[in-house]
Amino acid sequence: MAIRQDDTPPNRRFGIINLVLIGFGVLLLFSSFLPNQGAQQVPRVPYSLFINQVDDGNVKRAYITQDQIRYELKEAPAEGAPTVLATTPIFDMELPQRLEQKGVEFAAAPPQKPSFFTTLLSWVVPPLIFILVLQFFARRQMGGAQGALSFTKSKAKVYVPDEESRVTFADVAGVDEAKAELTEIVDFLKTPERYTAIGARIPKGVLLVGPPGTGKTLLSKAVAGEAGVPFFIISGSEFVELFVGAGAARVRDLFEEAKKKAPCIIFIDELDAIGKSRSGSMGVVGGNDEREQTLNQLLTEMDGFAAQDKPVIVLAATNQPETLDAALLRPGRFDRQVLVDRPDLSGRKKILDIYAKKVKLSAGVDLDKIAQATSGFAGADLANLVNEAALLAARAYRTSVEQADLNEAIERVVAGLEKKSRVLQPDEKKVVAYHEVGHAIVGHLMPGGAKVAKISIVPRGMSALGYTLQLPTEERFLNSKEDLEGQIATLLGGRSAEEIVFGEVTTGAANDLQRATDIAEQMVGTYGMSDTLGPLAYDKQGGSRFLGGGSNPRRVVSDSTAQAIDKEVRGLVDRAHDRALSILHHNRELLESISQQILEKEVIEGDDLKNLLASSVLPEAAAVGG
Ligand code: ZN
């Protein structure tokens, strides 16, 4: 795709007006100089001399104008001296009398009429200057510079796909799931008739969610490239400006431009810059007026364009979907969400292949090894890695990139990444592997209607180092006491595995413990599931949650009851912990073999996982309810 700034040059008009003005300026100069030209040759004398000459009776005739008196002598005062002289008039009421007495022939010039040019200029120049000033501002606005009037124009860049530089899905690797979902969008853009003919509503908004550097922008460009439609790109932060209302005007402008070029894609990066939840600013009156107006305008525009033959699809990217305003995610807006996550092993290999084509690799390079060593890297990190390696090779005067360069580059990139995101050291990766497999085995054997669908030790999102995905087999609204006990045991499975294998625990289980304790507290305090305490609700439900407190304060209870509650909670968690330990001791070999596999593959899911977990055994002592 070629970059093309979308501007219609007003420069030509600007030039014409300039020329006209200069022309008038020149005329003005001439018209003021011309009449004086003759006068310059007449010698000037003091007024007193003129009066003397009149009194002497030597003046033959005089011609009086506002600026000067020109007069002719009867005879020259000296041989060869000029007889025509001029003087500057003084306010002298007696002059006509004096001249009459001496018989001087005199006349006055008619009051000076403004010349044609002067009239024309006085009418034409001021408006021209005004137009010129307007043009000046308009030019700055069109050029996209930070001019005073530029704030209502959207700063979106437009890419129009052309054959050489077109980005397609082939250029994006490691995000297969996202690609599969976006293929549908390409189809909508290519053949909208097929969908509108049957009455289907083409989606307007797709939200790409994922950590930074995972290629959300590239992916959107690829959608445009595949569909062969123009692509507008703008960052959410570019909407928000100093002036209230400017952002909204920009949104309006952007959609207007886009509609002219439909079918097309609008890509809004960092949607959270304008789409942050409005409830958060409640109470601060006018605190976020500008952002709110911009957001409202965006919603209005998205609601505005109805399902048409030429769709405009808005793709937006964010790495904080939880902060977005709920109104943005409603049907008809960004109702589709596509997860663009960090790539797994095979994804990283594919990404490395793509970027490695851009540099000269020596024959012995094994990209598989590099892919294995870069768990947690996003696409942009891998691109950076290959480039760093090429720089290292060039610095050492080598003609191609070698394995050693790539290895050293990994260290460099990791050092940079450790500051901003998570990259696991090999020993940490091992702990995470056993931890997650611990969750999976316990989760598989516990009741609760959720089956373990996926284990991953690719760091995901902002906090998880690895995860075990449990999918409910049916939608459940009610949980029995056994289900909840099983959930607590499953949550403690990770920590239990660490205890068994490494004999110590890490900080990685903090979130599990939090959640396990929460469930146990709710069982006792909210659901009345404790035999000793009976069916009493000790927690106060209500308002606090809406005010952002999140914690449930207890009812006023006696000290002994409070102690009893704590004891019950403690007992539930302890029993679940014992259960998890017992299960994992019994399935120690399975824990070992699955962990080894996941360290190699990073992700195990589907039938592979089902088959592996099928050989797990539930020991008698760990059965729930016992
Ligand atoms: Zn865990």
Side-chain angles (χ1 to χ4, degrees):
M1 282 182 226
I3 276 200
R4 218 177 60 183
Q5 278 281 354
D6 193 46
D7 59 347
T8 36
N11 300 9
R12 196 171 299 162
R13 248 184 309 155
F14 178 77
I16 288 169
I17 285 178
N18 234 351
L19 266 182
V20 169
L21 258 190
I22 290 169
F24 271 105
V26 170
L27 282 175
L28 183 71
L29 278 177
F30 270 101
S31 66
S32 61
F33 277 130
L34 272 174
N36 289 343
Q37 251 52 136
Q40 295 298 329
Q41 291 151 0
V42 180
R44 285 197 169 244
V45 295
Y47 189 72
S48 57
L49 181 66
F50 164 65
I51 293 297
N52 283 342
Q53 283 166 335
V54 170
D55 287 347
D56 290 349
N58 195 16
V59 175
K60 194 173 163 194
R61 50 179 158 229
Y63 183 74
I64 303 159
T65 69
Q66 272 186 325
D67 307 330
Q68 65 172 350
I69 300 169
R70 259 209 265 185
Y71 63 99
E72 194 185 341
L73 296 174
K74 285 177 182 157
E75 56 186 76
E79 194 71 32
T83 54
V84 176
L85 295 168
T87 185
T88 309
I90 283 174
F91 187 70
D92 180 0
M93 294 299 285
E94 282 156 33
L95 182 64
Q97 245 179 334
R98 218 180 272 225
L99 294 172
E100 211 180 315
Q101 274 174 11
K102 295 292 170 188
V104 180
E105 185 186 319
F106 69 96
Q112 216 173 32
K113 262 194 189 164
S115 72
F116 170 71
F117 280 127
T118 325
T119 319
L120 194 67
L121 283 173
S122 67
W123 280 97
V124 171
V125 170
L128 265 181
I129 290 173
F130 186 67
I131 290 171
L132 188 77
V133 171
L134 274 186
Q135 286 283 329
F136 173 71
F137 279 115
R139 201 167 81 108
R140 294 184 60 161
Q141 170 189 356
M142 295 294 212
Q146 294 279 358
L149 291 178
S150 72
F151 55 80
T152 59
K153 273 275 177 185
S154 92
K155 293 188 219 158
K157 285 196 194 81
V158 190
Y159 296 81
V160 180
D162 59 30
E163 278 316 310
E164 310 113 60
S165 53
R166 195 163 81 134
V167 179
T168 63
F169 279 153
D171 301 312
V172 195
V175 281
D176 294 339
E177 291 156 41
K179 261 199 257 181
E181 293 201 45
L182 288 171
T183 310
E184 207 184 356
I185 304 293
V186 173
D187 213 33
F188 288 145
L189 287 164
K190 264 185 173 166
T191 51
E193 320 78 60
R194 205 146 55 86
Y195 298 88
T196 49
I198 209 168
R201 186 177 57 83
I202 291 178
K204 295 170 186 168
V206 180
L207 189 63
L208 305 177
V209 181
T214 42
K216 296 187 283 292
T217 309
L218 191 66
L219 201 53
S220 313
K221 262 188 212 171
V223 173
E226 288 280 335
V229 300
F231 178 74
F232 289 79
I233 178 167
I234 190 162
S235 170
S237 56
E238 283 175 74
F239 284 119
V240 183
E241 284 276 335
L242 185 64
F243 304 101
V244 172
R250 280 205 183 131
V251 171
R252 218 162 23 235
D253 187 71
L254 173 64
F255 277 83
E256 230 151 70
E257 290 294 312
K259 274 179 219 161
K260 281 183 216 156
K261 289 209 158 70
C264 67
I265 288 179
I266 296 177
F267 178 68
I268 305 176
D269 204 358
E270 300 171 47
L271 183 66
D272 32 293
I274 45 170
K276 274 212 186 93
S277 171
R278 282 174 289 190
S279 59
S281 60
M282 234 165 48
V284 189
V285 177
N288 277 309
D289 262 359
E290 165 60 356
R291 211 186 53 206
E292 206 160 300
Q293 276 195 23
T294 310
L295 175 59
N296 282 337
Q297 189 62 40
L298 180 65
L299 296 177
T300 312
E301 292 290 346
M302 288 192 76
D303 292 344
F305 54 84
Q308 339 113 317
D309 307 336
K310 293 184 167 184
V312 176
I313 293 184
V314 186
L315 300 180
T318 181
N319 46 35
Q320 307 167 283
E322 65 283 352
T323 65
L324 289 183
D325 197 289
L328 272 173
L329 308 176
R330 251 173 239 151
R333 293 165 181 174
F334 292 101
D335 49 3
R336 283 177 182 233
Q337 291 173 27
V338 175
L339 181 69
V340 187
D341 216 331
R342 294 201 177 94
D344 60 8
L345 180 61
S346 70
R348 291 199 299 275
K349 173 72 186 8
K350 282 180 205 153
I351 295 174
L352 281 171
D353 281 338
I354 287 179
Y355 288 113
K357 272 184 206 146
K358 295 176 183 168
V359 298
K360 281 183 188 160
L361 278 194
S362 82
V365 169
D366 183 359
L367 286 178
D368 284 315
K369 282 212 178 107
I370 303 299
Q372 272 161 12
T374 49
S375 169
F377 276 46
D381 304 329
L382 293 170
N384 189 13
L385 163 80
V386 173
N387 191 51
E388 278 289 332
L391 289 176
L392 285 169
R395 198 170 302 155
Y397 296 103
R398 278 194 284 275
T399 51
S400 61
V401 178
E402 287 175 13
Q403 192 81 18
D405 297 324
L406 286 162
N407 286 335
E408 199 183 332
I410 291 177
E411 278 166 37
R412 290 184 170 221
V413 175
V414 166
L417 279 179
E418 263 166 0
K419 288 172 201 141
K420 51 187 169 115
S421 72
R422 287 147 208 284
V423 173
L424 294 180
Q425 300 299 320
D427 54 331
E428 286 176 320
K429 208 168 154 181
K430 212 171 143 194
V431 174
V432 173
Y434 281 99
H435 178 106
E436 296 304 333
V437 175
H439 281 309
I441 294 178
V442 179
H444 178 73
L445 294 171
M446 286 289 117
K451 90 178 208 299
V452 181
K454 184 174 183 178
I455 314 175
S456 160
I457 54 167
V458 182
R460 298 271 158 155
M462 294 293 132
S463 59
L465 299 175
Y467 67 90
T468 305
L469 182 69
Q470 275 187 302
L471 291 180
T473 44
E474 68 218 69
E475 199 154 356
R476 291 178 77 101
F477 298 101
L478 291 175
N479 284 301
S480 69
K481 188 182 173 193
E482 286 182 10
D483 292 345
L484 293 176
E485 282 178 341
Q487 281 182 23
I488 300 176
T490 307
L491 284 166
L492 294 173
R495 180 193 160 101
S496 304
E498 287 183 42
E499 285 171 47
I500 291 172
V501 178
F502 303 101
E504 56 180 9
V505 290
T506 62
T507 53
N511 182 255
D512 296 337
L513 297 185
Q514 184 74 48
R515 282 165 62 201
T517 315
D518 280 350
I519 295 177
E521 271 186 345
Q522 281 175 3
M523 284 174 72
V524 178
T526 310
Y527 306 131
M529 286 176 175
S530 157
D531 295 334
T532 38
L533 286 160
L536 282 169
Y538 293 97
D539 288 342
K540 264 187 187 167
Q541 293 281 334
S544 67
R545 201 149 281 200
F546 296 99
L547 294 174
S551 63
N552 273 351
R554 275 182 192 169
R555 266 176 216 286
V556 183
V557 291
S558 67
D559 279 355
S560 60
T561 313
Q563 276 177 15
I565 294 172
D566 290 342
K567 204 176 146 208
E568 274 296 297
V569 171
R570 177 84 203 258
L572 275 171
V573 175
D574 277 347
R575 275 199 299 282
H577 186 206
D578 289 343
R579 193 168 288 140
L581 282 174
S582 148
I583 290 173
L584 292 173
H585 271 301
H586 248 81
N587 296 282
R588 181 68 208 264
E589 273 169 36
L590 187 64
L591 173 64
E592 203 68 46
S593 71
I594 302 183
S595 299
Q596 289 307 325
Q597 280 197 38
I598 197 145
L599 276 170
E600 262 169 47
K601 292 193 209 161
E602 294 189 353
V603 177
I604 305 182
E605 58 188 326
D607 287 340
D608 290 345
L609 185 62
K610 212 169 138 192
N611 294 337
L612 284 168
L613 288 174
S615 59
S616 58
V617 209
L618 180 65
E620 193 90 5
V624 173

